[in-house]
Amino acid sequence: MVSGGVSGGMNRGVTSDDAGERRRVVVTGVGAVSAAGLTTADYWSALSEGRVCTSPLTAFEAPRAVAAGQVDESWRGPSGAPDWLLERMDRASQLALDAAIQAQTDARIEFNQQNAFVVGAVTGMAHPSIGDGWAALGSGLSGASLGLNIAGPVFTVSMGGASGLASVVLATQLIRSGVVRAAMAIGAEAPLREDVWQSYESSGLLDQTDDPKAQRPFDANRQGMILGEGAGALMLEDRQLAAQRGVHIYAEIGGEALTSGPMGDGQAPTDVEVARRATGDAMLGGEISPSDIDVVVAAGAGSRLGDERETDIIERAFGRRTLDMYATTVSPNVGYTAGASGALSAVAAAMIVDQRQVPPHATFQEQDIACKLGFVPKLYEDRIVGAATAAYGAHGQNAALVLMPHVPEAGDELPVMVN
């Protein structure tokens, strides 16, 4: 863990490089806990190999045989966290804290009395926690302040399936606005409990087989989703701070946006157009054109109408560029993780930009003419310029993110001078 130079740079007032210039935000750490394993390396390995990690559900006794994306039963919560803290957190928050610790460690950053007040944390969760007293506080990563020594703004957003990616958007905007210099963005979900599963089941969204490989988004034979649990986290920093610290930068956030519901002029566009606007605004904010985006990391919920809708959104956002873009999705590997899905997709997008590799769609078999996206059959290496991802809530909430390669600049190698 790095502390000296970090404290010296972070406890100063938050200012932009030049007055009026848009603050730049980069990804310096990533973390993931999922059915693929307990680390980011496990997660990326499963994506790269096209490995399906869902399995027969054991978390509770469902009325029928069903598959799920389950975190390994050996997992006992984030390592190093004291028992008294874990007892006050529900499962989703424990997953969130684990992913956050991974991202913080990966970024080689330490929060202490000198810098804690210029660091924030935003957590996205779709489903509220259950329990009384302290357990109920888990729905906002109650351990962010206690477990990570973060003393700046710490809050939770709940935007359905858009929750995890919304946390990345809002954490980015905290830095851009000058409120903080670094922020942890987390999406977490533990939906493998009877009440949540039953709500999806009664809505007709779940696959009706017990085939662990039945999560086939955009495939002609898709039948529905397989629920999964997990968490994804990204350590975000002011670019100037990260460059001066000399840490590895996975990607720069080129643009980000949120939309929801009908437009304010009283006219009612389709929900597809409102969702498309999120991706359009993300590109517009970073002065990025569709031609700059090479990969789209799709949400891939797996329902017949939902995947057609998402394809329509992508085609509207990128136009003719859609025909030449790569596409991938993480839900075939780990299941659809609801509030965590957008954050896990963002972790994947950061890795894609950093590694210049596009993971395959793990369960793709037959193309649906209504869902023609550029999936690859195996890990594909190419010159990746930019990656985009978006996530959608069931009630019209949308989040979009664009990640671009970080290009070192003159002066980045200069160390922070500690007073």
Side-chain angles (χ1 to χ4, degrees), residues 118-139:
V118 291
V119 183
V122 186
T123 305
M125 291 182 183
H127 302 288
S129 63
I130 56 176
D132 299 319
W134 281 101
L137 297 177
S139 61

Side-chain angles (χ1 to χ4, degrees), residues 225-236:
M225 67 176 63
I226 292 177
L227 283 179
E229 62 180 353
L234 296 91
M235 188 70 240
L236 308 178

Side-chain angles (χ1 to χ4, degrees), residues 361-379:
H361 182 316
T363 58
F364 194 77
Q365 295 179 336
E366 183 180 346
Q367 187 174 73
D368 184 340
I369 193 171
C371 301
K372 296 181 68 175
L373 298 174
F375 298 111
V376 294
K378 62 181 181 179
L379 187 67

Side-chain angles (χ1 to χ4, degrees), residues 140-202:
L141 179 55
S142 60
S145 298
L146 297 172
L148 300 177
N149 293 323
I150 292 176
V154 176
F155 58 94
T156 306
V157 295
S158 186
M159 295 173 59
S163 301
L165 195 59
S167 76
V168 185
V169 171
L170 293 169
T172 298
Q173 293 176 347
L174 281 176
I175 298 173
R176 289 208 200 281
S177 65
V179 174
V180 295
R181 296 207 67 186
M184 185 70 72
I186 312 148
E189 203 71 68
L192 302 182
R193 60 185 209 235
E194 191 168 1
D195 61 325
V196 175
W197 184 88
Q198 189 59 51
S199 68
Y200 282 86
E201 175 80 342
S202 62

Side-chain angles (χ1 to χ4, degrees), residues 382-403:
D382 202 349
R383 177 179 173 271
I384 304 300
V385 174
T389 189
Y392 318 99
H395 300 289
Q397 312 99 320
N398 312 288
L401 186 75
V402 175
L403 291 172

